[in-house]
């Protein structure tokens, strides 16, 4: 039999009897599409989840504190330490913080309030945003402007929730412009503070050293490793015994557990779908050997060699699995495109292409694996018995 | 095939079988369905095999069609000892030198008349661009050209049988083997079919062996064999 004829009669069989095959075809397409989508967009999806700090309970933030002791030379995060920290793999951003109590004067009354002096990156590291107005930024730090951000509770306590954005308040006797009110957190200790640019505060408040560093990791997978590397990197500058590294261990473990199980179930579902497809091919081909016995006998009577029958059945199984995989690849591409649109990140084409080839190989494996035995049985059939079969 | 160069002319023996025995195991014992069949069929000859049900007619035809190996005996097809061939070579002989009309109508499901006739050509690797012409020729012989693109399953019983015969003719076989080709047809259609056979075989380059229950149908044939108790009576 010519190859062209082989393809022709196999496809003809599949298309004319499509009712018999569409269920299996759908199953395999779904499996392949799912596989491609999950593997291609999984990393982007993870990054996207990690972008939303509140959603994952801030587990990707590590807090490093230098343990200062009174009377000793103060330990603080100098710029070269920050540079080395940023070189650690998996670190997305970092921000320093210095804190001290300050006096705020409101209508001739003085309040003692906790103050945090921070880098411009602080908001991003902690996932904070402006509830009102704006949070100060890089330019304010460079220009050492006298601006401040106040927490919500503080706003209520000191200013009776009046709109303070754009007004001036007196901190330690100097006027600061209120640029915004802090949102994105409900923790009382964070909402009760006033925030100043680190550069401005260092100039104006004596003995103020940033002894705390917040490090935000790319994903939850990086947290444990980064937290182990931090004391090593910072330890080149200071005695490791005076470096305290903390992250919310329990919350991280919880997130990791959820993630691991979700991944496990997703892959299990895909695997089960593909296996189901393979089982479907097997069942169809096995029953075909029985129900198409007369057809096989007739074809052999017309001169079909054993290998003609074998290759026809195997080609049918392969066309079914590979054809379904093709549909799955197209569906997968659409799903990937949609996901990339929703996650607002480009499709990683190299991962996509390797998924496509893997999906193809899996389909090939399914077709051959599930089709070979029934095909051999069909080809070995005796003509006399097959043509007598009713 | 070795016969390709040989001439086919009326009267030359095409099919020679000697002492064919077919034994089936039957529990601990054996039963001999065929007990030494010998026959010679010549080009241009139509031979009928008659006999009661279960007498071994289909079995004999299956041996002649190389569907089944006999327990003993020799079988020469235009001088070639076809029983010595392996499975694949026998399949080629089936495809190129024999034509079949099986017991009960056997057109393939969900295929057109054209496609049904194409299968023997596909399996014998007949050149794709000459197929249409060849199929047309075969259909012409049974007067079915007007149905060439019809769904085979939507034809009437008589038409289906004519298509089955055309399919047996499409590879220009040396021997046509037909198992009750008129079994499901009415009187009129049966005679039409037999006339087609007579016309094809009458050209002298083919022989036909058919099984039938109907003595009137058998009368179209030059030779009538009766098979009884596994033995052939001429
Ligand atoms: N594979 C087999 N094993 C055992 N016995 C068999 C086998 N095939 C056929 N037989 C027996 O051989 C005998 C002849 O069968 P065969 O089909 O040749 O009869 P037949 O003459 O064609 O009958 P009918 O006119 O009903 O078609 C039957 O008794 C049948 O049971
Ligand atoms: Mg019979």
């Amino acid at each position: 039999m010519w190859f062209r004829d082989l393809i022709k009669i196999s496809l003809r069989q599949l298309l004319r009897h499509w009712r018999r095959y569409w269920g299996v075809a759908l199953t395999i397409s779904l499996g392949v599409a799912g596989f491609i989508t999950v593997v291609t967009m999984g990393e982007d999806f993870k990054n996207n989840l990690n972008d939303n700090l509140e959603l994952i309970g801030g587990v990707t933030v590590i807090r490093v504190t230098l343990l200062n002791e009174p009377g000793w030379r103060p330990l603080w995060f100098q710029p070269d330490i920050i540079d080395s920290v940023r070189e650690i793999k998996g670190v997305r951003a970092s921000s320093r913080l210095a804190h001290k109590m300050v006096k705020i004067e409101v209508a001739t009354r003085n309040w003692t309030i906790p103050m945090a002096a921070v880098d411009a990156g602080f908001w991003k590291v902690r996932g904070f945003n402006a509830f009102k107005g704006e949070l100060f930024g890089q330019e304010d730090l460079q220009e050492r402007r006298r601006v401040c951000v106040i927490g919500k509770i503080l706003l209520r306590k000191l200013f009776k929730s009046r709109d303070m954005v754009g007004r001036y308040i007196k901190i330690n006797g100097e006027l600061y412009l209120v640029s915004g009110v802090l949102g994105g957190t409900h923790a009382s200790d964070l909402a009760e503070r006033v925030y100043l640019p680190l550069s401005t505060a260092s100039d104006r408040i004596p003995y103020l050293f940033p002894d705390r560093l917040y490090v935000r990791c790319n994903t939850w997978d990086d947290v444990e490793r980064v937290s182990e590397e931090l004391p090593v990197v910072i330890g080149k500058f200071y005695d490791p015994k005076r470096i305290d590294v903390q992250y919310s261990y329990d919350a991280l473990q919880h997130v990791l557990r959820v993630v691991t199980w979700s991944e496990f179930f997703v892959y299990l579902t895909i695997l089960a779908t593909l296996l189901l497809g393979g089982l479907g091919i097997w069942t169809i081909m096995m029953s075909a050997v029985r129900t198409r016995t007369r057809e096989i006998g007739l074809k052999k009577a017309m001169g079909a060699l054993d290998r003609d029958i074998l290759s026809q059945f195997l080609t049918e199984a392969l066309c079914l699995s590979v054809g379904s995989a093709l549909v799955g690849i197209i569906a997968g591409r659409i799903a990937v495109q949609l996901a990339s649109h929703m996650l607002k990140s480009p499709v990683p084409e190299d991962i996509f292409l390797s998924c496509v080839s893997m999906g193809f190989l899996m389909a090939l494996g399914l077709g051959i694996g599930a089709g070979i035995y029934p095909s051999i049985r069909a080809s070995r059939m005796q003509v006399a018995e097959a043509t007598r079969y009713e | 095939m070795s016969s390709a160069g040989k001439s086919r002319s009326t009267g030359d023996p095409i099919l020679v079988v000697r002492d064919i025995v077919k034994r089936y195991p039957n529990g601990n014992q054996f039963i001999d369905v065929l007990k030494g069949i010998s026959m010679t069929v010549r080009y241009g000859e139509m031979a009928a095999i008659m006999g009661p049900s279960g007498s071994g007619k289909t079995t004999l035809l299956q041996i002649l069609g190389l569907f089944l190996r006999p327990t003993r005996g020799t079988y020469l097809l235009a001088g070639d000892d076809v029983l010595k061939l392996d499975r694949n070579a026998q399949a080629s002989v089936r495809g190129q030198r024999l034509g079949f009309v099986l017991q009960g109508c056997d057109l393939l499901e969900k295929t057109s008349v054209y496609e049904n006739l194409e299968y023997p050509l596909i399996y014998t690797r007949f050149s794709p661009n000459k197929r249409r012409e060849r199929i047309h020729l075969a259909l012409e012989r049974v007067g079915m050209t007007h149905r060439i693109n019809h769904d085979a399953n939507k034809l009437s019983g008589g038409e289906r049988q004519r298509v089955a015969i055309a399919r047996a003719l499409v590879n220009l076989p040396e021997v046509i083997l037909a198992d009750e080709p008129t079994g499901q047809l009415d009187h009129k259609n049966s005679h039409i079919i037999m006339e087609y056979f007579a016309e094809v075989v009458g050209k002298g380059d083919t022989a036909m062996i058919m099984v039938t229950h109907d003595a009137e149908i058998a009368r179209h044939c030059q030779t009538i064999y009766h098979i009884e108790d596994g033995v052939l009576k001429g």
Side-chain angles (χ1 to χ4, degrees), chain A residues 47-66:
Chain A
N47 285 337
N48 199 264
L49 267 189
N50 278 279
D51 277 345
N52 192 337
L53 257 191
E54 253 198 318
L55 194 70
I56 56 170
V59 295
T60 54
V61 177
I62 303 173
R63 192 183 73 182
V64 190
T65 312
L66 296 173

Side-chain angles (χ1 to χ4, degrees), chain A residues 388, chain B residues 24 33 52-59 103 180 213:
Chain A
R388 265 181 201 273
Chain B
Y24 281 120
V33 175
S53 185
S55 55
K57 305 183 295 294
T58 297
T59 306
Q103 191 166 10
E180 301 199 34
H213 276 111

